[in-house]
Every structure is written in C-alpha cells, then in structure tokens.
Amino acid sequence: MQHDDVIWDLIGNDSFCSYKVKTKTQQFCRNEYNITGLCNRSSCPLANSQYATVREEKGLCYLYMKVIERAAFPARMWEKVKLDRNYAKALEQIDENLIYWPRFIRHKCKQRLTKITQYLIRIRKLTLKRQRKLVLLSRKVERREKRREEKALIAAQLENAIEKELLDRLKQGTYGDIYNFPIHAFDKAMEKQEEETESEEEEDEEEPVTREFVADDGFEESDLSDFEDMNNLKGSSDEEEEAEEESSEEEESEEELEEEKTKAQSKGKAPLKGPIRKKRAYVEMEYEQETEPAQKSKAT
Amino acid sequence: MDSNEATTSESVSKKRGKTKKVKRKVKPDEAPVQEMDQAEGEETEKKSVSGPCFPPTFSVSEIKNKQRRHAMFLKLKEEKRKQKLELKKKKKKERKALGDQAPPKEVPKTIENQRIYDETTVNPEDEEVAFDEGTDEFSAYFSRLTNPKVLITTSDRPRGRTVRFCEQLATVIPHAHVYYRRGLALKRVIPQCVSRGFTYVMVINEDRKVPNGLVLCHLPDGPTAHFKVSNVRLRKEMKRRGKDPTEHVPEVILNNFSTRLGHSIGRLFAALFPHDPQFVGRQVATFHNQRDFIFFRFHRYIFKNEKKVGIQELGPRFTLKLRSLQKGTFDSKFGEYEWVHKRHEMDSSRRKFHL
C-alpha cells in the first residue's frame, strides 16, 4: 500500500533522503521528477502518489504524470505526454491533462513550463549571436614561449640594430639635405680636390721660371745708352711682373681652397659671420701708365 | 672473497657519509664487480691504475642505487670537464706558438647561424616575388593610391590596461581612431568600416585585464593576421622615456623579414603607416623579427654626428607572435588560411623559423 505520510515521515523534514541537499536556509531535492526543486511535503515525488511534472528534452517539453493506480508498476509509473511547441497550446494541454488535479500541481506545472520556454528562447537567441570560443592555454607551452621570447630579445640587440639602420639611411641619403653632417662625404671630396690642386701646384711651380736678365761679363750699365737701358728695364720689369702675377695667382688659388674648406667646416657648425675676408698675398706694384690726353672734341 | 668483503665494507662506509677520494676511485671497480663476474672485476681493477674506466657497455644509468649512481655521474662530469679544460689549454698554447699563422678563430655557433635554411627565403632580385607583390592586396598602398586609416578596437568589455594601450597605439599610428566595441559582431563592423574608408581594423583581444591578442585585418578584402601579444609596456612604465610622441608621421623600420611569409607580414605592417615620413619629427617605429618574435619599438632619434645616433624610447612596446594568416577579411570559420601555426609540426625543431 502506498502511505504517503509514512514515507514523508521517513524521508521528510529532518530525516535522511538521498535526494536531499541541505543548505543553511533551505532544503533542495535533487530528484529529476521534482517540480519545484525544493524538498517539501507537497513537492516530494516520493511522498506524493499523485504527482505531475514538466520536463524538457532536446528542446521539447513533456508532461509527466504519476497516479496511484500505477504505483505497483515502477516501469510504467510515469505517463509521458508531449506538449505542443506553441506556449499557449501547451498550457491548454496541461489544463486538459491535469483536469481535476490539485491546484498546486497544476499551477506549478504551468510555472515550470513558462520557465522552460523562456530559457529555450534565450538559447536560440544566443546561438545566433557570436559565441566566444575559449582556447585553452597549455602551461608548458606558455612557459616555453616566454623563455624563447626572452632569449630572442637578448639576441636581437634592438638598440644596436635600430641605430645601425638609421646610420645606414643617413649614409644613403634618404634624409636629403636636412642634416649638414655629410662632412664625411665633404671631407672625401675635399681630399680629392686637395690632391688635384697639389698635383696642379707642382706643375705650376715648374712653369713660372722667374726670368732674370743677367749682365754679360765685363758689361757695365754705364756703357749702355739711356735709351737701351730703358728698354731693357721695361722688358725685365714686365716679365717680373708676369712671374709675380702668376705666383700670386697660385697663392690665391691655394688660399681660396683653404677658405672653402673653412667655409665648409663652418657651415656645419655655424653660419659665417660678417663679410668674407679673403686673405691675399699682397704684392705692391707700381704701374706707370701713359694715358693719352682725353679727346675733348666729341662727335655731335 | 676477500675482494667481496672489502667491497661490502667499503660500500657500507660509503653509505654512511661522504667518501674519500680514494674510496671513490675504487668504487668504479666495485660497482661493476657487484654486477658482473669477478673475472671482469679483476680486469677493471687492473685498469683502475690508469684512472676510472668502465667496460664498454657500462652506463651510469644502469646502477640501481641512487646515491651511488649520483656520485658516479658527478665523477663522470668532472672527468669531462677536466678533459675540456685540457683541450682548451692545448689549443691556446698552439695558438700562441703559431702566432700570426694561427688559424682564424672559429665563429661561435648561434641559433641564427644554425638556422635551418628555409626554402621560401626571398632573394632580393626575385622577379616572381616582385610580380606577386605588384599585384597583391597591398599594391594599392604601395603604388600610392590609398592612404592608411586605421580603426582600433578591443574585445568586449575592455579593462583599463587595454584601453590605455589602445589610446597609446592610436598616438603612435597616424590616422588611427579608437572605437569601443560594445558587443558588436566583427563581421558587421567590417563592411561598415569599408564604407567609411578605413584601410585597417585592429582588434586587441583581452584576457584577465591584459591585452594578449591582436587581429589585424586589411580592409578592402585584405589578409587577416592573428597575433599573440605579450610583454606590453605602457608609456608610464618605460624607463628613461622621452616626452609624448608628436603628430608627425614616423619612419618605419622592418628588420629580418626574410621568408615569403615574413615578406607579406612585413608589408602588412608597412601599410599601416602613411607613405611620406616627416623627418622633422625624428620618430621611428621599428618592427624587428627575431626567431619568429616581432618586437615593436617606438623611438625618437637624433644624429649627434655622422657616425653616432642617439635614440630615446617613447611610446608603448610589445611583442607579437604570428598565429595565423588568413586570406580575405576576418572569417574564422569559413576563411581560407594561408598559414596556421601548428605546434606539433612547427615547434619540433629549435632551429627552424618561419618568418
């Protein structure tokens, strides 16, 4: 015979039931057919011979019913009714099946159905949205990668590499004229020029032979007439002038080069201040010019 | 028998505490003796005069006793170390003796030296590569048709560090805009970006309040690269850093991208920055690849003279490791992957690198 009260006494409030989960404030029932999930006299599927639940399997809701007539046949005890997908129709189905059943069970079944349909809707909505995929990190792999990264960082010598690359770019000239540094290139050019000028100077020095007219043996100036002396004097002075001019030109060219050098160097450091003063070798020469008397009559 | 007794007594004394060297020297004879026949033991005893030597099939791991095994192993190591030192000394002597004629010093082996040659290493004059690069997704950028415009965003609900990282990235990369994600799907974000003229989408993934992943998607159906981010250092954590970066367009340095894959990744990074760097700003962004790790640094440089340059680090720094490269815009399920990092295949050798 099925004595609900006796069963409840045995498993109920303070006794042991294997489905019971006790917390500080409440008792829960882990039985799969329990309608509310709490351990109560009216919710216990073992202690109620007439009982009904709504359960969900793979997105479909089923109504389970237990009546006292089948209490002796545990295999057939629970009657399973498939509920309609439509929420309203399912509610009607519950009403239809549980007609004349206690109010509590009917009410709780409908509540449970509502909850189930709500969470099914939510699942469907979430699956349409993007799903976060959790990728597992293997601790061993992470540690290994970390160590390799440290070693790679040391091997990379980043600062040196960057500096080297920047200097290469500077040499190649990607920066154009922004930096006035290409002293290196300038120096090279200067050296080249100096070499050229040195070779030129050597040649020049060979050319201008200072000519001097030397008197013959036994020659005395007093023997010469004044007119001859004048000619001789003029000729020699011209030649001397030419020689001196040439030498002065060389000196000028040398000094110009030097000045260019200093100019270049100073360009990089600070702009030249003031007018450029060329240092020239000074040779004072006196010219005697025979100017023709100015023609006063002009063509009208 | 006598030898046996001797061995037992010595072994006992050995187990008590540290053995003296004498006993140790005898030990190599003891061990084999206990395991093998006496006859062989006698032979080894004879040999022991020259030094501890073992019968050819003997290995330290065969000794069952842990203490003794350990002691033997230490001995073995010492022997090896001694031999190595002797060899070194000899070599040094030879070098000195030869003087100028000595053979040149050998270059020490490094991982970069020993790297397994990758067949896809790009030859600078390769025409096929040049042709490919002329017609790939970046050709528009490199032929100066488009200007980069970058959208930076994060995964859902970013935490403070990630947000700050995004902001700093936006200052480093010109024409970059930071937008909050707010739970939008990337697949919907991308067409919107395309319609607004963005060329890049950068998504920084966050895990436990720290940025750990980066998805870099080139927009008008360009490749999508997924990186693992590590060692993120924000600006205020940098030592001896300079002032904040200015608005000038920085220069870009790409180092060590040697293989075909490395080339495409390098171009991916290069296309992030506008074409004409403003040298006035003297800023340089560096992507340096070393052993498949890409180090990003942002510096300000100044040329002290034509042989010396000083650099000062501003800006965030981080390391990237490529996880996958996918053709087309972001589509993790149905996209076509050009390259995926497969740990078991690719990480088996320490000398093989892919970038």
Side-chain angles (χ1 to χ4, degrees):
Chain A
M1 290 281 321
Q2 191 78 339
H3 301 285
D4 297 338
D5 295 327
V6 171
I7 295 175
W8 182 246
D9 265 343
L10 290 170
I11 62 175
N13 278 322
D14 287 327
S15 325
F16 176 79
C17 170
S18 63
Y19 296 107
K20 200 189 291 186
V21 174
K22 262 189 173 180
T23 48
K24 233 195 250 176
T25 46
Q26 260 216 340
Q27 293 175 356
F28 294 100
C29 183
R30 275 192 309 121
N31 193 324
E32 6 172 78
Y33 289 100
N34 190 314
I35 197 167
T36 53
L38 309 169
C39 187
N40 281 329
R41 175 68 183 84
S42 44
S43 313
C44 187
L46 306 171
N48 287 306
S49 39
Q50 193 188 38
Y51 200 76
T53 339
V54 175
R55 273 169 72 187
E56 177 257 332
E57 259 171 61
K58 293 182 193 166
L60 292 170
C61 300
Y62 297 92
L63 174 67
Y64 288 80
M65 289 178 287
K66 165 173 119 162
V67 288
I68 196 164
E69 282 83 30
R70 294 197 299 272
F73 311 106
R76 290 180 255 150
M77 198 153 62
W78 290 95
E79 182 187 345
K80 186 172 167 179
V81 173
K82 186 169 167 185
L83 292 175
D84 206 56
R85 280 200 181 202
N86 186 339
Y87 176 64
K89 283 197 189 157
L91 283 177
E92 284 174 10
Q93 272 181 310
I94 290 179
D95 267 333
E96 190 191 309
N97 278 309
L98 298 182
I99 196 168
Y100 308 132
W101 280 54
R103 212 181 306 133
F104 174 78
I105 292 187
R106 258 189 285 146
H107 182 57
K108 288 297 176 187
C109 279
K110 285 185 205 167
Q111 270 192 341
R112 206 178 159 89
L113 174 70
T114 317
K115 220 23 164 235
I116 290 174
T117 45
Q118 281 174 351
Y119 81 60
L120 284 174
I121 291 171
R122 204 145 165 260
I123 289 176
R124 274 181 239 133
K125 225 197 275 180
L126 284 176
T127 51
L128 289 176
K129 271 193 182 179
R130 345 156 272 135
Q131 278 166 333
R132 230 177 240 200
K133 189 176 166 194
L134 294 174
V135 177
L136 303 173
L137 297 173
S138 162
R139 211 176 305 171
K140 170 185 169 188
V141 172
E142 290 305 304
R143 257 192 283 145
R144 199 198 321 168
E145 300 254 299
K146 195 168 148 214
R147 187 117 174 90
R148 285 195 185 164
E149 191 188 317
E150 286 167 20
K151 299 251 166 174
L153 183 60
I154 295 171
Q157 294 178 351
L158 279 171
E159 266 144 43
N160 290 348
I162 296 175
E163 285 173 9
K164 194 170 149 244
E165 178 69 29
L166 287 170
L167 286 170
D168 282 340
R169 286 190 184 180
L170 180 66
K171 272 194 193 154
Q172 275 180 356
T174 43
Y175 299 129
D177 289 330
I178 304 175
Y179 299 104
N180 293 318
F181 287 135
I183 276 181
H184 200 60
F186 224 100
D187 280 344
K188 275 192 178 167
M190 291 317 304
E191 283 170 27
K192 277 188 187 166
Q193 266 207 344
E194 278 178 39
E195 287 171 19
E196 286 169 24
T197 51
E198 277 173 23
S199 57
E200 281 176 23
E201 283 162 25
E202 285 170 12
E203 292 169 14
D204 286 342
E205 279 166 2
E206 290 169 4
E207 283 174 16
V209 182
T210 49
R211 292 190 191 173
E212 259 191 306
F213 289 82
V214 185
D216 218 0
D217 287 345
F219 170 78
E220 279 178 67
E221 282 183 7
S222 52
D223 292 342
L224 285 172
S225 62
D226 287 331
F227 212 71
E228 288 176 21
D229 283 341
M230 285 291 285
N231 275 334
N232 283 337
L233 277 170
K234 247 197 179 175
S236 65
S237 68
D238 281 338
E239 282 155 359
E240 279 176 8
E241 281 170 20
E242 281 174 45
E244 283 166 352
E245 277 175 18
E246 281 177 30
S247 61
S248 68
E249 275 174 16
E250 294 154 43
E251 287 168 1
E252 277 176 30
S253 61
E254 274 181 19
E255 276 148 10
E256 274 175 20
L257 288 171
E258 285 174 10
E259 280 167 38
E260 280 176 32
K261 238 198 208 170
T262 53
K263 257 199 245 172
Q265 282 171 352
S266 59
K267 222 188 187 180
K269 288 172 189 171
L272 282 174
K273 293 176 189 172
I276 305 163
R277 289 193 185 172
K278 290 194 178 178
K279 297 173 192 170
R280 290 191 179 193
Y282 251 64
V283 181
E284 290 186 53
M285 283 183 277
E286 287 173 20
Y287 295 88
E288 281 181 37
Q289 288 175 343
E290 289 174 18
T291 51
E292 288 174 350
Q295 285 181 353
K296 288 183 182 174
S297 60
K298 289 180 187 173
T300 53
Chain B
M1 290 10 95
D2 284 337
S3 60
N4 268 339
E5 282 175 4
T7 59
T8 48
S9 66
E10 285 186 28
S11 61
V12 162
S13 59
K14 199 187 75 53
K15 280 175 190 168
R16 274 193 201 148
K18 286 186 183 174
T19 55
K20 297 181 197 167
K21 253 211 160 172
V22 178
K23 285 185 186 166
R24 265 201 181 170
K25 279 207 171 155
V26 183
K27 209 191 342 92
D29 310 337
E30 309 301 345
V33 162
Q34 284 176 352
E35 295 184 40
M36 289 172 272
D37 297 344
Q38 270 212 350
E40 292 183 36
E42 283 171 1
E43 284 176 14
T44 54
E45 279 181 39
K46 284 177 196 167
K47 284 182 199 167
S48 71
V49 179
S50 55
C53 41
F54 312 103
T57 54
F58 178 76
S59 96
V60 183
S61 53
E62 281 174 16
I63 304 178
K64 301 293 183 184
N65 184 333
K66 187 170 179 175
Q67 279 183 330
R68 209 177 278 171
R69 189 171 61 231
H70 183 60
M72 283 283 258
F73 179 67
L74 289 179
K75 269 214 103 193
L76 202 71
K77 275 217 135 173
E78 261 224 54
E79 285 300 315
K80 279 195 180 165
R81 209 181 301 150
K82 259 197 213 165
Q83 281 175 3
K84 201 174 169 186
L85 273 176
E86 277 176 29
L87 201 68
K88 262 194 180 174
K89 272 191 180 171
K90 226 170 65 175
K91 273 199 173 167
K92 210 174 174 186
K93 263 190 188 172
E94 281 175 12
R95 289 209 97 202
K96 263 192 176 177
L98 286 179
D100 280 334
Q101 296 168 350
K105 264 194 176 174
E106 289 161 34
V107 180
K109 294 184 192 170
T110 63
I111 292 186
E112 281 77 30
N113 283 346
Q114 307 296 99
R115 175 178 176 174
I116 295 176
Y117 176 71
D118 196 329
E119 325 150 316
T120 60
T121 308
V122 173
N123 196 2
E125 293 115 35
D126 202 339
E127 286 173 359
E128 194 188 322
V129 173
F131 178 70
D132 276 342
E133 293 185 352
T135 53
D136 76 351
E137 295 105 349
F138 297 107
S139 55
Y141 168 80
F142 283 104
S143 50
R144 299 199 170 222
L145 291 172
T146 54
N147 261 328
K149 194 173 169 198
V150 182
L151 177 82
I152 302 182
T153 182
T154 63
S155 54
D156 288 340
R157 297 181 183 270
R159 312 291 286 177
R161 216 182 141 79
T162 314
V163 170
R164 269 178 278 145
F165 179 54
C166 287
E167 287 167 23
Q168 292 185 5
L169 262 185
T171 56
V172 163
I173 302 175
H175 307 304
H177 307 269
V178 182
Y179 281 95
Y180 281 122
R181 183 76 171 276
R182 280 159 156 253
L184 297 168
L186 260 189
K187 287 197 185 170
R188 297 221 187 106
V189 167
I190 284 175
Q192 281 188 25
C193 286
V194 175
S195 63
R196 287 183 205 194
F198 280 95
T199 52
Y200 264 102
V201 169
M202 229 191 207
V203 182
I204 294 172
N205 191 51
E206 188 198 334
D207 177 50
R208 291 210 204 142
K209 306 181 193 174
V210 144
N212 76 342
L214 175 71
V215 174
L216 192 57
C217 185
H218 185 77
L219 271 187
D221 45 69
T224 310
H226 178 41
F227 296 96
K228 176 175 101 151
V229 170
S230 47
N231 275 355
V232 172
R233 286 253 205 109
L234 300 177
R235 236 172 246 152
K236 65 178 185 181
E237 294 156 13
M238 305 275 221
K239 297 181 184 171
R240 287 187 281 268
R241 71 179 158 95
K243 294 188 185 167
D244 290 336
T246 56
E247 292 292 320
H248 296 112
V249 174
E251 296 173 47
V252 182
I253 292 182
L254 299 164
N255 274 345
N256 285 355
F257 288 97
S258 55
T259 64
R260 204 71 177 73
L261 178 69
H263 248 250
S264 34
I265 299 288
R267 300 181 98 223
L268 194 76
F269 288 132
L272 266 177
F273 293 90
H275 273 287
D276 300 309
Q278 292 169 316
F279 298 122
V280 185
R282 288 186 283 127
Q283 292 173 135
V284 58
T286 311
F287 292 91
H288 182 104
N289 171 37
Q290 189 81 15
R291 303 182 194 176
D292 281 354
F293 287 99
I294 301 169
F295 298 102
F296 172 82
R297 299 285 185 270
F298 193 72
H299 290 276
R300 185 172 280 146
Y301 63 87
I302 177 163
F303 284 107
K304 294 178 191 164
N305 56 45
E306 89 272 7
K307 290 200 180 146
K308 231 179 165 195
V309 61
I311 53 175
Q312 187 188 44
E313 187 159 6
L314 343 158
R317 64 154 80 151
F318 52 91
T319 22
L320 299 171
K321 186 163 201 275
L322 181 68
R323 273 215 206 119
S324 67
L325 180 63
Q326 182 208 335
K327 260 200 181 85
T329 57
F330 181 74
D331 191 340
S332 48
K333 270 195 243 171
F334 303 110
E336 183 195 336
Y337 280 93
E338 239 181 79
W339 187 86
V340 174
H341 177 78
K342 293 183 192 143
R343 188 162 68 83
H344 291 284
E345 290 172 21
M346 298 182 184
D347 272 356
S348 54
S349 161
R350 282 189 214 204
R351 308 275 179 265
K352 186 163 174 35
F353 305 112
H354 309 280
L355 273 188

